[in-house]
Amino acid sequence: MSADHDPGGRPNYAARRANLRNLLVENRVDALLVTDLINIRYLTGFTGSNAALLVDSWDSSEDRTVICTDGRYITQVGEQVPDLRAEINRASARRVVEIAGEWQTGRVGFESHVLTVEQHRGFEGLVTGLDLVGVSGLVEQLRMVKDAHEVALLTAACAAADVALATLLERGGLRPGRTERQVARELEWLMFEHGADAIAFETIVAAGANSAVPHHRPTEAMLATGDFVKLDFGAMLGGYHSDMTRTFVLGQPSDWQREIYDLVYAAQQAGREALAPGVSTRAVDGAARSVIEAAGYGELFVHGLGHGVGLQIHEAPGIAKTGTGTLLDGVAVTVEPGVYFPGRGGVRIEDTLVVRQGGPELLTRTSKDLTVVE
């Protein structure tokens, strides 16, 4: 599946840009120079590797909204962004700044978390009377709340991952004697077979003591009877990412394995149930973390509870004990508590969900019950 061909049809990019204009007015800038390619994709649908976008804060007719890319993408920009003026120039951001000067735009915001110091110096003095003002995270603020198009893509990406895992288990792909790398590569290929455009991130397969490493990279280590095996993986479809972690036991679990699995399961359920519009991200983290802390294992939960997911695998909001802000209806997040015993093993359980009034919408459907693989 390429570009934005997807189950939800073409998104309303004009509406997204209109929402951005409202933020620009609130931040008292006359236009925004967008140079982050993910943000450009969100606002226009363009998927090329070189682009810059200028969005005027007052012009609802969009005569003063322009996208610039280079000659490799003449056909692509015409097909993907038929509703905007397109400029062709290799120095895309520089050309857009020149256009802002030609229009005597005044205060032009730039993505200060994206534009390099060197690029900014190159723009200073380029156009007389242009005031470049750093702003941060405006498009990302909009991206947090997913529209129906985005939820459809997230749902499809999660389904591809769910079916791939089910197929792996049905085939006996998770068994003693296989290496972590073999399992990872098979799982990734199965996601492609079931509709993924790409993998969402490097698949984690961590067996035995390696399961205690939160972001272990698959090796030639062999799976063995008695191991915890942690799988953290996702599919990407139409640019949108899924994210899921399940932990299995090869053979009958020991008492300590059941205890830790049940604890993480309870913490994950508490975190999911805490998701609601208006709830602080810190409170959601605390709902899950308190379960683990009450059992005496708080120091073994070494990361935040979750993160936003969408066009990037990690995006706003962050759900952690240091998190800020509150959840909104329609925000897509992960909930992924873990307990890790160094040198012994660990458990993480993760879902992708959409925050809703009345309870979160679960997108990753694979069972979270302790699964024993014989």
Side-chain angles (χ1 to χ4, degrees), residues 62-115:
E62 299 204 299
D63 291 335
R64 285 162 62 108
T65 297
V66 60
I67 186 170
C68 185
T69 185
D70 64 64
R72 295 171 296 169
Y73 300 112
I74 291 176
T75 300
Q76 183 175 329
V77 74
E79 292 175 347
Q80 293 183 332
V81 197
D83 52 342
L84 294 181
R85 167 186 167 186
E87 288 271 324
I88 303 300
N89 192 305
R90 181 73 180 178
S92 297
R94 182 182 181 90
R95 176 57 187 143
V96 165
V97 172
E98 290 173 345
I99 292 170
E102 293 168 6
W103 289 342
Q104 299 180 327
T105 304
R107 286 170 58 86
V108 176
F110 65 91
E111 295 178 304
S112 55
H113 57 301
V114 177
L115 200 71

Side-chain angles (χ1 to χ4, degrees), residues 36-293:
D36 183 286
L37 289 171
I38 297 294
N39 288 342
I40 291 171
R41 178 174 187 163
Y42 175 78
L43 292 169
T44 70
F46 183 67
T47 60
S49 64
N50 176 31
L53 178 71
L54 183 69
V55 179
D56 187 281
S57 64
W58 299 102
D59 182 18
S60 60
S61 68
E62 299 204 299
D63 291 335
R64 285 162 62 108
T65 297
V66 60
I67 186 170
C68 185
T69 185
D70 64 64
R72 295 171 296 169
Y73 300 112
I74 291 176
T75 300
Q76 183 175 329
V77 74
E79 292 175 347
Q80 293 183 332
V81 197
D83 52 342
L84 294 181
R85 167 186 167 186
E87 288 271 324
I88 303 300
N89 192 305
R90 181 73 180 178
S92 297
R94 182 182 181 90
R95 176 57 187 143
V96 165
V97 172
E98 290 173 345
I99 292 170
E102 293 168 6
W103 289 342
Q104 299 180 327
T105 304
R107 286 170 58 86
V108 176
F110 65 91
E111 295 178 304
S112 55
H113 57 301
V114 177
L115 200 71
T116 67
V117 172
E118 183 176 352
Q119 287 173 319
H120 182 261
R121 285 174 179 164
F123 296 152
E124 283 186 319
L126 180 63
V127 178
T128 302
L130 199 66
D131 184 13
L132 290 172
V133 181
V135 294
S136 180
L138 295 187
V139 182
E140 289 83 354
Q141 182 179 333
L142 296 176
R143 281 171 45 196
M144 279 197 296
V145 176
K146 276 32 181 201
D147 58 29
H149 163 85
E150 294 176 290
V151 173
L153 283 173
L154 286 168
T155 301
C158 289
D162 277 325
V163 177
L165 178 56
T167 304
L168 177 76
L169 295 173
E170 290 167 4
R171 290 182 178 180
L174 197 65
R175 63 179 184 272
R178 300 199 81 195
T179 68
E180 294 173 336
R181 190 169 285 127
Q182 285 174 329
V183 174
R185 297 297 86 83
E186 183 176 0
L187 181 56
E188 289 170 351
W189 182 247
L190 287 169
M191 285 189 281
F192 282 107
E193 284 191 345
H194 292 290
D197 297 332
I199 59 171
F201 53 91
E202 185 178 3
T203 298
I204 296 171
V205 177
N210 291 338
S211 63
V213 180
H215 276 192
H216 173 72
R217 302 181 75 176
T219 68
E220 292 301 312
M222 283 196 176
L223 281 60
T225 300
D227 280 353
F228 270 138
V229 183
K230 181 181 67 194
L231 308 179
D232 187 346
F233 63 103
M236 186 168 71
L237 195 150
Y240 283 77
H241 301 69
S242 71
D243 198 355
M244 176 169 66
T245 306
R246 295 293 186 265
T247 305
F248 301 91
V249 180
L250 299 184
Q252 290 301 312
S254 62
D255 290 343
W256 80 271
Q257 287 176 319
R258 287 190 181 277
E259 176 192 353
I260 298 307
Y261 192 94
D262 290 346
L263 175 63
V264 175
Y265 182 98
Q268 208 260 354
Q269 182 177 5
R272 295 196 325 268
E273 292 176 350
L275 293 174
V279 177
S280 73
T281 56
R282 187 175 301 180
V284 176
D285 179 274
R289 193 172 301 275
S290 62
V291 174
I292 295 173
E293 289 175 342

